[in-house]
Amino acid sequence: MKKPFQLFICLLLVSGMLALSGCVDDTPATSDTPDTSNINQSELQNDILYQVSTIDALLEGLYDGQLSMGELKEQGDLGLGTFDALDGEMIVIDGEVYQMKTDGYAYSVDDSVTTPFAAVTYFETDEAIVLNGPSNSSEVALLVGESLPSKNLMYAIRIDGTFEHMKVRSVPAQEEPYPLLVDVIAVEQAVFELENVEGSIVGFWLPYYVEGINVPGYHFHFIDTDREKGGHVLDYTILNGTVYIDQTAGFELSLPESAEFMDVDLLRDKGDELHTVEKDDE
Ligand SMILES: [Zn+2]
């Protein structure tokens, strides 16, 4: 089978130190890896946000899967993304991958299924915030934003709780020639409103300098506790719960070397399209 990626761009942002590493392969760091710094290697290994392709490539309609779930799960146990042909919303939680389709239901995913865009990390809580009493998504966003130590690092976030209201969406599989993501969202996204549901929000807060690569600010997916329903989060109200934050100082970006990726125009400013695709404007 063709190796999906031959090029790895590996950028490690480590505690204010900018280190451009050599290329990293899929092999986990072992104890005989030379420790050339004062950074704990196992900590560093877990402290990496690993990403497949870029959000702008997805916005341009590059929906062909590039990396299998089996391979993705080696890079982290929490995260989000989508599937080959844009077939639903992906959530990775507790090391399991779920595919949330346009029927509103979540499905287990075979390790051979591939993704055109995903981001995962090994989640380790650095900070927890208990939410007492109802809060809407803007209030939680403000509270979490104020508690982030710096807006220049990356954070994985998990919110476990009881949600009075949860508004999610999913997208259906596309056929080639693939339309732009903004057009899929405009015509085909399926929106679901869940009431009084227990579950978990999973996602990231990323700095504004990731524009074009990932989603600046918050990007969340949701799945209920029974792992039956969920999707890309558009809005919610939480009754009570806990926000867990994992500060992530490493970033590894795996770019496809497909002809489509090599030829796609990534110069076009897609900021407005990204806002339309990710946020709830109703
Ligand atoms: Zn999403």
Side-chain angles (χ1 to χ4, degrees):
M1 196 175 126
K2 185 170 161 286
K3 194 165 184 282
F5 299 101
Q6 288 135 19
L7 175 68
F8 285 83
I9 291 181
C10 321
L11 186 63
L12 298 178
L13 300 169
V14 182
S15 304
M17 176 191 77
L18 181 65
L20 189 57
S21 81
C23 279
V24 179
D25 64 21
D26 298 337
T27 315
T30 57
S31 55
D32 52 15
T33 302
D35 186 1
T36 54
S37 71
N38 59 358
I39 298 158
N40 181 303
Q41 290 294 318
S42 63
E43 218 171 80
L44 191 60
Q45 183 73 15
N46 288 347
D47 211 15
I48 294 173
L49 173 60
Y50 176 89
Q51 182 179 324
V52 180
S53 192
T54 71
I55 192 72
D56 272 16
L58 194 72
L59 284 164
E60 289 287 358
L62 271 64
Y63 306 146
D64 282 339
Q66 302 293 330
L67 191 79
S68 72
M69 292 307 106
E71 292 167 305
L72 185 70
K73 287 194 286 190
E74 291 175 8
Q75 304 295 337
D77 57 10
L78 176 138
L80 50 72
T82 185
F83 298 94
D84 182 53
L86 199 70
D87 190 9
E89 307 282 352
M90 175 199 296
I91 192 166
V92 184
I93 184 166
D94 298 327
E96 297 293 325
V97 182
Y98 298 93
Q99 180 178 20
M100 298 174 298
K101 298 191 179 184
T102 48
D103 60 4
Y105 285 92
Y107 297 85
S108 298
V109 184
D110 193 87
D111 278 354
S112 64
V113 172
T114 57
T115 176
F117 176 84
V120 294
T121 189
Y122 283 105
F123 194 86
E124 294 172 324
T125 302
D126 292 316
E127 188 181 352
I129 305 167
V130 176
L131 302 172
N132 290 314
S135 311
N136 65 34
S137 55
S138 303
E139 290 164 342
V140 175
L142 199 64
L143 186 68
V144 172
E146 285 170 352
S147 69
L148 299 179
S150 166
K151 295 286 168 66
N152 297 332
L153 291 175
M154 303 183 179
Y155 303 90
I157 296 170
R158 172 174 177 163
I159 307 174
D160 292 342
T162 304
F163 298 84
E164 183 179 45
H165 181 72
M166 174 60 68
K167 183 178 182 182
V168 294
R169 73 107 196 276
S170 188
V171 285
Q174 300 297 303
E175 289 178 8
E176 294 185 271
Y178 293 137
L180 296 179
L181 185 53
V182 70
D183 295 330
V184 175
I185 298 300
V187 179
E188 296 188 79
Q189 79 168 343
V191 176
F192 301 93
E193 316 246 359
L194 308 173
E195 308 293 337
N196 295 310
V197 59
E198 268 185 53
S200 300
I201 283 175
V202 158
F204 300 97
W205 184 95
L206 299 177
Y208 290 94
Y209 58 73
V210 306
E211 187 174 0
I213 296 173
N214 202 311
V215 179
Y218 296 102
H219 181 190
F220 289 138
H221 289 186
F222 172 81
I223 192 163
D224 67 358
T225 304
D226 294 334
R227 308 294 188 245
E228 284 181 349
K229 292 180 176 179
H232 169 103
V233 174
L234 293 174
D235 197 17
Y236 66 89
T237 303
I238 188 167
L239 290 174
N240 54 69
T242 306
V243 182
Y244 303 96
I245 300 171
D246 178 14
Q247 181 172 308
T248 300
F251 183 51
E252 181 172 341
L253 178 61
S254 292
L255 297 173
E257 281 195 303
S258 62
E260 290 80 8
F261 187 82
M262 290 200 190
D263 292 340
V264 70
D265 176 12
L266 295 177
L267 295 175
R268 193 170 66 83
D269 181 2
K270 289 176 273 288
D272 289 347
E273 287 182 19
L274 181 65
H275 185 85
T276 304
V277 163
E278 297 296 334
K279 311 297 180 193
D280 183 20
D281 284 330
E282 284 182 14

